[in-house]
Amino acid sequence: MTEALKRDYRICEEIGRGRFGVVRRCEPLEPSAAPSSAAPSLAVKSIDKSAVSGDDLDSHCLLTEPKVMSLLSPHPNLLRIHNAYEDSSHLHLVLDLCDSPDLHRAVASSGPLPEPEAARILAQLMRAVAHCHRHGVVHRDIKPENILFDSRGRLRLADFGSAEVIGGGEQAAALRGVVGTPHYVAPEVVAGREYGEKVDVWSAGVVLYVMLAGFPPFRGESAVEIFGAVLRANLRFPPRVFRSVSAAAKDLLRMMLCRDASRRLSADQVLKIRLQLVIS
């Protein structure tokens, strides 16, 4: 670890390990390195450069995450980056600590969520997504595993390794390339067409469906089968599962999981127009 990192933070126990590195709890040693009262706990994510392959995508992810997180911070529903350090072997990111179960683990352990709880989580998620889009950022990998919760139960959207900065308005660039997780990727991504920020709205719609049903809307035994189901976008609401789900929630899902991206709701529209129907 860099001397600067060890000078600023006490590195504590390991709390997670992934494909490219390890996450440890850490504590600030200097007042200047201390987080705000809104984020009292910290972790350091140490990315092993040697584990990142030389291909363009992995190298891009390594460089993109700290840049995008710095651009977007602070926001109450985004994982905040406090500092970044680099040495010859690792990139170290000091982040908010979220040690509660992520949304995937919460649904896996407890089953489908009551509609009011799903609506509350969706509202926080869409505030995070709308903030990203206002700053010209497309997340591209929204899924329950990347939806974390802090010690106060507040949602924090994480993992910006696949994100892209495309700008906004008429200056927004179009994206290409299959990026994301099969169950959550939008049809235009699978089809190889140019796409924009509304791929995040599709992914958030899948997340809402998973919260209400306990399983994704487009399924298959392999990635190829899942992609085929996504392209067909045949959205169904099995009565056994959706019996207690409101018509407003189903309408919202239809408009978020609209195959035609030009007719799909934007993140701001989900917040300003439709979400109140679910919460009411």
Side-chain angles (χ1 to χ4, degrees):
M1 292 187 180
T2 68
E3 291 302 317
L5 173 62
K6 291 189 287 186
R7 183 180 64 243
D8 291 341
Y9 298 92
R10 177 183 295 107
I11 310 303
C12 306
E13 74 276 9
E14 179 179 322
I15 56 176
R17 184 173 291 268
R19 179 182 171 195
F20 295 130
V22 62
V23 180
R24 297 180 177 89
R25 191 172 63 83
C26 67
E27 299 172 350
L29 294 173
E30 299 292 335
S32 61
S36 68
S37 59
S41 301
L42 297 176
V44 57
K45 178 180 179 180
S46 298
I47 302 170
D48 183 356
K49 293 180 181 180
S50 67
V52 180
S53 64
D55 65 45
D56 290 341
L57 179 59
D58 284 345
S59 298
H60 174 79
C61 290
L62 180 68
L63 297 172
T64 294
E65 187 167 19
K67 179 181 74 172
V68 170
M69 293 183 75
S70 295
L71 173 66
L72 295 172
S73 288
H75 185 277
N77 296 121
L78 294 177
L79 196 66
R80 183 179 176 185
I81 183 169
H82 294 269
N83 274 307
Y85 303 84
E86 187 172 7
D87 55 35
S88 59
S89 61
H90 286 79
L91 176 66
H92 307 280
L93 307 179
V94 179
L95 308 166
D96 293 331
L97 173 64
C98 294
D99 51 3
S100 298
D102 61 39
L103 184 58
H104 171 76
R105 289 164 58 194
V107 174
S109 62
S110 302
L113 304 180
E115 187 175 325
E117 175 67 7
R120 185 187 69 82
I121 292 172
L122 180 68
Q124 295 180 78
L125 174 60
M126 296 315 297
R127 282 195 285 269
V129 173
H131 180 78
C132 291
H133 293 176
R134 290 185 201 113
H135 286 75
V137 173
V138 184
H139 186 284
R140 299 204 296 177
D141 197 20
I142 292 174
K143 59 183 177 180
E145 292 90 337
N146 290 336
I147 297 172
L148 312 181
F149 298 94
D150 62 22
S151 59
R152 298 162 59 183
R154 183 171 55 188
L155 180 147
R156 299 297 190 94
L157 180 60
D159 197 344
F160 286 82
S162 298
E164 278 283 2
V165 181
I166 63 170
E170 294 182 1
Q171 303 301 315
L175 298 172
R176 280 191 178 275
V178 179
V179 177
T181 302
H183 284 117
Y184 298 89
V185 72
E188 59 267 33
V189 178
V190 178
R193 300 194 299 269
E194 290 186 343
Y195 58 87
E197 62 187 25
K198 286 188 177 180
V199 298
D200 287 343
V201 177
W202 174 280
S203 300
V206 177
V207 169
L208 175 58
Y209 190 104
V210 168
M211 287 193 289
L212 294 171
F215 54 82
F218 311 112
R219 291 174 286 171
E221 296 300 319
S222 66
V224 172
E225 290 185 7
I226 295 168
F227 285 152
V230 168
L231 285 171
R232 291 189 296 274
N234 184 13
L235 184 62
R236 296 179 178 177
F237 302 110
R240 176 181 57 84
V241 179
F242 281 86
R243 184 180 303 109
S244 61
V245 175
S246 70
K250 295 173 187 175
D251 286 343
L252 178 59
L253 281 165
R254 291 186 185 99
M255 288 181 283
M256 295 178 74
L257 296 174
C258 178
R259 182 166 53 182
D260 182 351
S262 68
R263 296 171 53 225
R264 191 180 306 153
L265 294 180
S266 69
D268 276 327
Q269 286 173 326
V270 174
L271 282 170
K272 295 176 182 177
I273 300 174
R274 299 297 177 179
L275 191 59
Q276 58 186 331
L277 298 178
V278 182
I279 295 175
S280 61

